Amino acid sequence: MDDFIPSIHEYIRKNQHRLTQPPNATNGPKRYERMEVVPLPEPLPLKLSLAEALEQRKSRKEFSGTPVSLSALSSLLYYAAHKSGSGRRPYPSGGGLYPIEIYVISFTVENCERILLHYEPDTHVLRQLWKLPDDASPSSYVKINGDASPTAVIVCTAAWDRSAQKYRDFAYVLSLLEAGHLSQNILIVSEALSLATCPLGALNDDVIITLLDVDSAMEQPVSVIVLGNRFLK
């Protein structure tokens, strides 16, 4: 074990060459065009400045259990991940290929109860994919305290092939870095919206992959964040 992590690190760093002309490289996002669109309301003004949000940010594992409004979810996704008219997103991506996809496992989001959603950053819409299993709970997908009641679980997946066409094995490092940048955006914006969020490292990969119905050789979950309303003071 002592040599395991350093050897992987050394291997990836030595192989971070890129292709001169990557074949058919795309920058996403995935499209579920046959699925119903969830139109999102205009984003709400943020309640805190960046300095205040950074100062107050902390992981919050206690949730009121009340539904998060669609306006709040729209605002969170817009400020954290929306693609602007100039083609830019509010976080960096190696080669501008954006391999990270955003899914929302919704339990009690307003008008989106117990359904899996996919976010399109360029159009700022959610797509309803399919209903959650009847026996599904947040603890089905992440290891969280049994009495915690988050409204949703945000899952970031890495579509490895999107970056690997250009960066080969180094795509692994770049995808994890991008997931971190995006996750930090979500956490800071959540603080500015007075939402409760907590990033979790312990996730049930196989269960999530089955729910998302993705090819695990090409796309895997790399980051999860539980989301909900705070208790009213």
Side-chain angles (χ1 to χ4, degrees):
M1 177 59 76
D2 291 344
D3 296 330
F4 178 66
I5 298 300
S7 64
I8 291 178
H9 184 83
E10 182 180 5
Y11 170 79
I12 291 175
R13 287 296 179 184
K14 285 183 176 179
N15 289 277
Q16 57 181 294
H17 62 280
R18 70 173 75 183
L19 298 180
T20 305
Q21 294 182 335
N24 304 318
T26 61
N27 62 0
K30 291 170 67 175
R31 299 294 182 191
Y32 293 89
E33 294 181 347
R34 295 185 180 182
M35 300 304 185
E36 183 178 348
V37 169
V38 179
L40 293 174
E42 289 294 315
L44 301 168
L46 296 180
K47 300 177 182 180
L48 301 177
S49 68
L50 176 60
E52 291 170 326
L54 288 168
E55 176 68 23
Q56 297 180 29
R57 194 222 70 79
K58 69 176 183 178
S59 296
R60 304 175 188 273
K61 297 181 180 180
E62 295 182 348
F63 310 95
S64 69
T66 59
V68 167
S69 71
L70 203 56
S71 290
L73 182 59
S74 172
S75 305
L76 174 59
L77 294 172
Y78 182 88
Y79 291 117
H82 175 60
K83 180 179 177 179
S84 68
S86 66
R88 296 180 180 274
R89 300 191 201 182
Y91 57 92
S93 178
L97 296 173
Y98 297 102
I100 302 303
E101 296 286 338
I102 304 171
Y103 297 86
V104 180
I105 304 174
S106 169
F107 290 93
T108 55
V109 174
E110 178 188 20
N111 297 329
C112 298
E113 290 80 11
R114 297 193 63 80
I115 197 166
L116 177 67
L117 305 161
H118 177 260
Y119 180 61
E120 296 179 3
D122 52 347
T123 59
H124 189 54
V125 300
L126 287 166
R127 297 269 185 179
Q128 293 189 21
L129 300 190
W130 36 82
K131 292 288 186 180
L132 304 183
D134 293 339
D135 60 348
S137 67
S139 60
S140 302
Y141 305 106
V142 294
K143 294 183 180 179
I144 188 171
N145 294 336
D147 57 349
S149 53
T151 292
V153 179
I154 299 175
V155 179
C156 296
T157 65
W160 305 115
D161 61 325
R162 196 174 298 160
S163 292
Q165 295 181 71
K166 183 172 185 178
Y167 293 106
R168 300 290 179 92
D169 293 343
F170 195 50
Y172 179 76
V173 170
L174 296 177
S175 295
L176 295 184
L177 287 171
E178 181 175 328
H181 298 317
L182 173 57
S183 296
Q184 181 73 329
N185 279 6
I186 292 171
L187 299 174
I188 293 172
V189 175
S190 294
E191 193 67 33
L193 290 167
S194 297
L195 294 170
T197 52
C198 182
L200 297 173
L203 58 153
N204 296 325
D205 297 68
D206 293 342
V207 178
I208 293 176
I209 287 170
T210 297
L211 176 68
L212 302 186
D213 192 28
V214 297
D215 180 353
S216 60
M218 307 295 285
E219 182 178 355
Q220 290 177 311
V222 292
S223 173
V224 292
I225 298 172
V226 288
L227 164 73
N229 284 323
R230 301 181 192 176
F231 284 103
L232 297 177
K233 295 182 179 180

